[in-house]
Amino acid sequence: MKMGWLARLAAGTTLALAAVSAGAYTESSGGYNLPTGVTDLSQEVFDLHMLIFWVCVAIGVVVFGVMFWSILHHRKSKGHKPADFHESTLVEILWTSAPFIILIGMAIPAAGTLIKMEDTRGADMTVKVTGYQWKWQYDYLGENVSYYSTLSAESNKARQLGSGIDPNTVPNYLVDVDNPLVLPVGKKVRFLVTSADVIHAWWVPEIAVKKDAIPGYVNETWAKINTPGTYRGVCAELCGRDHGFMPIVVKAVTEAEYKEWLAKQKGGAAAPAPAAAAPAVVEVAAAPAATATDAKPDAAAIEVAAAPAAAAPAAAKDLSKDELMKKGQEVYTANCSACHQATGAGMAPTFPSLIGSPVIKGPAAGHVKQTLAGKNVMPPFKHLSDLDIAAVVTYERNSWGNSGGLVQPSAVAAARK
Amino acid sequence: MAHHDHAHADHAHDDHEHHGPEKGIMRWIKTTNHKDLGTLYLFLSFTMFFIGGLMSLVIRAELWMPGLQFVDPEFFNQMTTMHALVMIFGGVMPGWVGLANWMVPMMIGCSDLALPRINNWGFWILPFAFALLLSTLFMAGGAPAGGWTMYPPLVMQTGDAFPFLIFAVHLMGVSSITGAINVAVTILNMRAPGMSLLKMPLFVWTWLITAYLLIAVMPVLAGAVTMLLTDKYFGTSFFAASGGGDPVMFQHIFWFFGHPEVYILILPAFGIVSTIIPTFARKALFGYDSMVYAVASIAFLSFIVWAHHMFTVGMPLAGELFFMFATMLIAVPTGVKVFNWIATMWKGSMTFETPMLFAIAFVFLFSIGGFSGLMLAITPVDFQYHDTYFVVAHFHYVLVPGAVFAILAGVYYWIPKWTGRMYNESWGKIHFWLSAVFINLTFFPQHFAGLAGMQRRVPDYAVQFVDWNIWSSIGAFGFFVAQFIFIFNMLACCYGWFGRKQGLPDRIWEGAHGLEWTVPSPAPYHTFEDPPQIGAGEVTAVHDEFDALDHHKLS
């Protein structure tokens, strides 16, 4: 019993560390340290971090060692009499200059790494990253491929207040998205980071990239990923209510796989049946909201720039109220409920109630228009398919005591023109 | 500290007995007495610590487990925002002003602060400022939720609370500036004969420098928030990109205030620790002059390092390099201070009363915050640390076992002088050990969570972080509860609970030096109405070259 507590504490700590490392979303972090990551620079950053850490530990051991020695030995209860010294210019010069020299030793490698990190020249490709409240948009510049990436539906469901869903049962809880950013390994990828509303920060620990996404600014950074795999990150800058719920997933693949994926994205634009693009999405997303029966463009949530064109085939047919309401509720939960709430009551005054609101009571055209274009804090939702917009507008006009008519995708398609 | 049984006080300089305090509530409303105002400031400070502490408990309760259990994310953000504003502007800053009110006149041998009516006004602004700020919790749209840093454009989404936030910050700024001017003017003009600048106690020195920092940067904050106000209501576009403004400019202006601000929060702590360690080591402070120069250097550097709070905004490389090197330099004078404290302890004759325990814990734990600060200075690695729980751990290490422990140490150290009653040493020690254990339990695990990828200001997190957060939450609740030991221990001194009697000697601590220990305990309502003769033993600074002021030999 007497010797037990320290051993138990040590064992408990070891177990806790082991348990932590098992589920780490930054896999190479061990769950308690920076990740070594999958780029040359992330490794350099890790090495710098450990170098400075050990320098601090060494200084701490010496300085606190002296302090605790003094505390143990130079105490009145042991009869120690106070000495009489109180200044020494030599000592002061020594302990001013010694840290200075240590700092220079740290600054040189740090500056070297920083210079490399800021050198965005000679990139093989460029992805524009745009932050929104609360999702990310990825534009493959020059490729005409662009899509949004939001928190996965499973996580989104579980993270609602009082959802009753145990986050431990949700795979990659809060660090999973519907559409990951797909990048080729071995290529220098330049990121142009900006924002459409407030400041966000695009952070993927394992590629050692964190850059603020600032409206009016286009920041540059880059990464060259060495190893194929899935690398997760989060928004690091407070950006409002759902700051904690706009993760980032980077899927690094071989160049061949990347080219194939890219071709599929582009193919979606030309092909009359955009559902062909869907498998690519399903393959990479852990919990796609789309089901096999959704033979319509939004299943390919990875959209192409010419979204309205892609939406056209589905827009041609009219849907029943049940179909629209069912779909509308899904779209509403994923895109609208964060602000306007599942009850439609909103959160005054920033997020208005939809119950009996002027927009909802007014003509459907205005409602569709505001959904597409946004207003004030509300971002534009023109990236959603015609069907999604039609469904969610119908849902909003027929829920929580509202009673309006149906809006069909064709009406949305017309409104886009 | 509330009652000074003045009529029975027996002391040398009190020939103005009829100037005793008024009776009843009007004493506190009308008072211009530095001791009364110091008491008011300290009561306000600890009230705000309590309110801010409750907010941190909401935060820690929600973070106990992944998933959302108790609060909406918007309310969570209100809690993080208000916790910071209340703790910084309501807890720590009034705490320091309270200690300065009480101690600066008594340490430099003058009768009161130079501007007593301004002093009264400066205090009584604060209850209104915090009424404005806290009232936003009950408004439509709730309290400000954009972070205490108030970055636009996010802060523009604040509801009705927005103007209340801005005006509350204005009022806090006015209060701080009046306090700072008052302290600086007092120190520069009202020192007793013989109290030259380089003989002043370190607490007076650190407060003088703090006062200049406050005067320099509080108007900058006022300007920044005023620009927010006009952007919101008067159609300007200082920070709105859509109108040709620059959201990053706000961050530069804010942190030009914000970095000196963090030294405003910590420099007086250096002064307290530099006062307490020599007392309980029974040995003169080592390297007095270098301590003064170090504080001055830190204050200077604080003006040229602000952008290390915003390395990720996309500065030019040259800017990043400059701010990295300048920030690293701060380690030099900070290191000098730590080395001097340890050299003061070295070969002393130490005892470990509660103030000393808190002071030693300060040296140890503040240094840990300093080490993580040095790590954060390294720009390429800061990209990984920035806005994670590693940063949260860092600044709480320098602010709680840093600034707050120093305030606690100072109150323990001087409360017998203020009230004439000794606090209960056993309960003091229990309070110290509980605080030290729980504060580390709260904040040490946050280093690991942050390094492994947990970002700041989120109400929910990936399940891998659960262990760190459980420990952190246990620590936070434990720390909060432990502070009630302190509150009762101190109130018992104020009000004479548990049969605590007055009757302490003037020099309450065996190794204490300074003019405050030459007046009776409790300190009379008016002290040093005639300038004192400064005995050689009361001078903090010990210089070999000043033989005339032979330093204290204590053995």
Side-chain angles (χ1 to χ4, degrees):
Chain A
M1 282 306 272
K2 212 175 167 190
M3 48 143 288
W5 71 271
L6 193 61
R8 279 203 305 276
L9 185 67
T13 311
T14 315
L15 274 177
L17 285 175
V20 161
S21 63
Y25 86 73
T26 47
E27 281 165 29
S28 59
S29 75
Y32 59 91
N33 201 352
L34 280 189
T36 49
V38 288
T39 68
D40 294 348
L41 278 175
S42 72
Q43 182 67 49
E44 263 188 48
V45 164
F46 177 82
D47 293 341
L48 262 178
H49 158 72
M50 291 313 288
L51 168 75
I52 296 153
F53 171 74
W54 287 117
V55 168
C56 290
V57 168
I59 296 171
V61 166
V62 173
V63 173
F64 299 140
V66 172
M67 185 174 89
F68 285 113
W69 168 272
S70 176
I71 288 171
L72 285 177
H73 294 273
H74 305 149
R75 40 171 75 209
K76 195 184 178 194
S77 59
K78 291 199 165 176
H80 196 275
K81 295 277 183 268
D84 200 25
F85 63 86
H86 45 76
E87 64 186 350
S88 161
T89 308
L90 177 68
V91 168
E92 298 282 357
I93 288 171
L94 275 180
W95 68 35
T96 306
S97 47
F100 196 78
I101 291 161
I102 295 171
L103 287 175
I104 291 173
M106 289 179 185
I108 290 168
T113 303
L114 183 63
I115 289 166
K116 283 188 234 171
M117 289 176 104
E118 294 295 334
D119 182 5
T120 53
R121 290 171 300 176
D124 298 309
M125 58 179 281
T126 301
V127 177
K128 184 174 154 220
V129 178
T130 309
Y132 290 82
Q133 285 176 311
W134 293 276
K135 56 180 169 278
W136 296 99
Q137 183 185 18
Y138 301 117
D139 280 288
Y140 290 73
L141 293 192
E143 303 290 355
N144 224 15
V145 169
S146 168
Y147 56 90
Y148 289 79
S149 180
T150 55
L151 181 66
S152 78
E154 259 184 307
S155 286
N156 194 34
K157 211 169 153 194
R159 65 102 176 177
Q160 303 299 328
L161 183 58
S163 71
I165 300 169
D166 178 2
N168 290 297
T169 64
V170 179
N172 296 309
Y173 178 63
L174 294 190
V175 282
D176 201 10
V177 297
D178 51 1
N179 306 308
L181 175 66
V182 180
L183 294 177
V185 296
K187 294 280 177 193
K188 182 165 183 175
V189 182
R190 186 172 66 137
F191 301 103
L192 298 179
V193 185
T194 187
S195 166
D197 39 50
V198 301
I199 301 175
H200 306 266
W202 197 78
W203 179 34
V204 181
E206 282 179 302
I207 62 174
V209 167
K210 183 187 286 150
K211 207 62 154 179
D212 286 1
I214 304 170
Y217 274 74
V218 180
N219 276 330
E220 271 187 291
T221 183
W222 68 278
K224 189 171 165 188
I225 302 172
N226 294 330
T227 325
T230 303
Y231 308 113
R232 297 170 194 281
V234 289
C235 175
E237 178 66 49
L238 178 63
C239 58
R241 181 177 184 272
D242 284 352
H243 162 52
F245 308 100
M246 50 181 291
I248 296 150
V249 178
V250 172
K251 195 183 176 207
V253 295
T254 62
E255 203 187 344
E257 285 171 303
Y258 170 73
K259 288 219 160 106
E260 193 184 339
W261 173 87
L262 198 64
K264 272 185 188 165
Q265 305 313 307
K266 293 182 177 176
V281 187
V282 175
E283 181 190 8
V284 291
T291 62
T293 56
D294 291 339
K296 47 194 185 290
D298 75 295
I302 296 185
E303 275 188 308
V304 290
K317 68 170 175 145
D318 281 0
L319 288 95
S320 72
K321 184 175 179 183
D322 285 353
E323 286 173 302
L324 284 168
M325 289 295 282
K326 183 171 171 294
K327 181 73 201 164
Q329 185 170 17
E330 287 170 21
V331 177
Y332 183 85
T333 305
N335 293 282
C336 316
S337 63
C339 299
H340 294 294
Q341 304 292 293
T343 60
M347 290 195 304
T350 316
F351 307 129
S353 169
L354 300 181
I355 303 166
S357 91
V359 174
I360 285 175
K361 282 202 228 140
H367 190 173
V368 169
K369 197 173 162 215
Q370 181 168 333
T371 311
L372 287 169
K375 186 185 177 190
N376 296 338
V377 179
M378 177 173 159
F381 285 93
K382 59 180 187 289
H383 56 282
L384 296 178
S385 70
D386 291 349
L387 178 107
D388 283 353
I389 300 269
V392 79
V393 169
T394 304
Y395 176 74
E396 287 170 357
R397 294 175 84 79
N398 293 281
S399 301
W400 322 298
N402 294 334
S403 54
L406 304 189
V407 174
Q408 293 295 346
S410 53
V412 179
R416 286 190 200 262
K417 283 165 189 155
Chain B
M1 54 193 148
H3 283 296
H4 310 290
D5 204 354
H6 179 57
H8 305 291
D10 167 32
H11 52 87
H13 301 292
D14 193 2
D15 51 4
H16 296 277
E17 198 72 36
H18 54 283
H19 284 171
E22 278 198 50
K23 298 291 171 220
I25 186 76
M26 290 315 282
R27 165 182 175 182
W28 301 104
I29 291 172
K30 287 164 62 182
T31 185
T32 55
N33 178 287
H34 71 102
K35 300 187 182 80
D36 280 356
L37 283 158
T39 303
L40 285 171
Y41 267 112
L42 288 169
F43 269 94
L44 176 89
S45 164
F46 284 101
T47 306
M48 288 296 151
F49 278 135
F50 175 74
I51 294 171
L54 284 178
M55 290 170 177
S56 74
L57 294 191
V58 173
I59 293 167
R60 286 315 323 168
E62 183 54 64
L63 292 173
W64 167 258
M65 279 287 153
L68 289 179
Q69 287 83 28
F70 304 108
V71 297
D72 183 87
E74 184 72 15
F75 186 71
F76 183 92
N77 291 345
Q78 294 171 24
M79 287 293 105
T80 54
T81 304
M82 295 290 275
H83 165 74
L85 289 168
V86 166
M87 287 303 203
I88 292 169
F89 292 102
V92 178
M93 289 170 72
W96 289 137
V97 182
L99 286 166
N101 253 284
W102 256 104
M103 299 318 301
V104 165
M106 283 166 66
M107 285 178 144
I108 63 173
C110 65
S111 58
D112 204 320
L113 291 181
L115 309 163
R117 289 182 181 82
I118 293 277
N119 198 14
N120 172 289
W121 185 53
F123 171 78
W124 280 108
I125 287 172
L126 286 179
F128 294 95
F130 286 99
L132 279 185
L133 184 67
L134 293 170
S135 70
T136 61
L137 284 165
F138 307 100
M139 284 177 189
W148 83 280
T149 48
M150 299 178 281
Y151 283 4
L154 180 62
V155 75
M156 295 298 170
Q157 296 179 1
T158 308
D160 296 354
F162 186 83
F164 290 81
L165 167 69
I166 303 299
F167 291 134
V169 170
H170 278 152
L171 289 178
M172 295 165 197
V174 170
S175 169
S176 294
I177 291 169
T178 61
I181 290 175
N182 213 345
V183 169
V185 169
T186 305
I187 293 170
L188 291 180
N189 291 292
M190 296 177 65
R191 299 188 309 279
M195 179 67 77
S196 63
L197 285 176
L198 276 175
K199 284 181 206 157
M200 297 194 304
L202 251 294
F203 181 66
V204 178
W205 252 117
T206 53
W207 236 112
L208 179 64
I209 292 170
T210 301
Y212 275 99
L213 292 182
L214 279 165
I215 294 165
V217 301
M218 293 312 288
V220 176
L221 175 66
V225 299
T226 306
M227 286 188 265
L228 288 178
L229 191 78
T230 62
D231 269 12
K232 174 105 171 169
Y233 295 115
F234 302 106
T236 58
S237 296
F238 291 110
F239 308 126
S242 56
D246 183 348
V248 176
M249 184 173 74
F250 177 85
Q251 298 186 23
H252 282 292
I253 299 171
F254 181 86
W255 287 114
F256 186 80
F257 145 79
H259 201 79
E261 168 70 13
V262 306
Y263 292 133
I264 288 164
L265 301 175
I266 202 66
L267 291 188
F270 292 165
I272 299 259
V273 170
S274 302
T275 308
I276 289 174
I277 287 178
T279 295
F280 296 97
R282 293 165 181 76
K283 189 163 158 281
L285 181 69
F286 189 86
Y288 173 93
D289 286 15
S290 71
M291 287 302 238
V292 173
Y293 299 144
V295 174
S297 312
I298 291 170
F300 168 74
L301 288 172
S302 78
F303 285 104
I304 57 165
V305 298
W306 75 88
H308 69 217
H309 295 269
M310 38 190 290
F311 276 141
T312 61
V313 297
M315 269 180 283
L317 176 64
E320 290 177 335
L321 287 171
F322 170 79
F323 285 108
M324 171 167 76
F325 296 148
T327 304
M328 291 172 82
L329 275 182
I330 296 175
V332 175
T334 313
V336 166
K337 298 197 74 71
V338 172
F339 301 146
N340 278 330
W341 288 323
I342 291 172
T344 306
M345 292 187 221
W346 185 254
K347 290 188 181 291
S349 177
M350 277 188 274
T351 51
F352 301 93
E353 289 84 349
T354 308
M356 182 64 161
L357 290 174
F358 275 104
I360 292 173
F362 173 94
V363 174
F364 184 50
L365 299 173
F366 175 80
S367 297
I368 289 177
F371 286 138
S372 57
L374 181 57
M375 295 170 79
L376 284 157
I378 310 295
T379 312
V381 201
D382 176 80
F383 292 153
Q384 292 279 48
Y385 305 141
H386 178 72
D387 269 335
T388 67
Y389 259 87
F390 189 80
V391 176
V392 176
H394 158 73
F395 67 70
H396 280 98
Y397 258 89
V398 291
L399 283 177
V400 188
V404 173
F405 271 26
I407 291 175
L408 294 172
V411 172
Y412 273 114
Y413 184 62
W414 284 308
I415 197 131
K417 173 58 67 187
W418 299 339
T419 65
R421 299 183 184 93
M422 185 50 91
Y423 63 86
N424 181 297
E425 188 64 63
S426 304
W427 281 109
K429 285 188 170 140
I430 290 168
H431 169 231
F432 166 76
W433 284 108
L434 290 175
S435 297
V437 168
F438 281 125
I439 209 65
N440 283 292
L441 190 60
T442 309
F443 293 116
F444 209 78
Q446 294 183 358
H447 290 113
F448 300 114
L451 290 176
M454 181 167 169
Q455 77 274 44
R456 287 172 75 179
R457 293 164 159 173
V458 286
D460 196 1
Y461 48 84
V463 293
Q464 72 175 93
F465 302 121
V466 63
D467 292 351
W468 306 128
N469 278 286
I470 287 175
W471 292 349
S472 206
S473 293
I474 293 172
F477 279 83
F479 184 79
F480 185 81
V481 172
Q483 300 320 302
F484 288 93
I485 299 171
F486 166 80
I487 295 296
F488 279 98
N489 208 346
M490 295 304 111
L491 289 178
C493 290
C494 295
Y495 297 110
W497 295 346
F498 314 126
R500 287 189 197 169
K501 294 273 185 286
Q502 294 186 327
L504 293 171
D506 295 358
R507 193 175 305 274
I508 289 159
W509 307 108
E510 180 190 24
H513 299 273
L515 291 175
E516 76 264 35
W517 306 110
T518 63
V519 301
S521 307
Y525 198 57
H526 297 287
T527 40
F528 299 128
E529 295 201 89
D530 302 313
Q533 292 283 322
I534 304 172
E538 309 307 345
V539 177
T540 309
V542 180
H543 301 89
D544 284 333
E545 60 267 38
F546 295 159
D547 286 329
L549 283 169
D550 193 18
H551 56 75
H552 26 279
K553 291 206 164 69
L554 302 161
S555 50

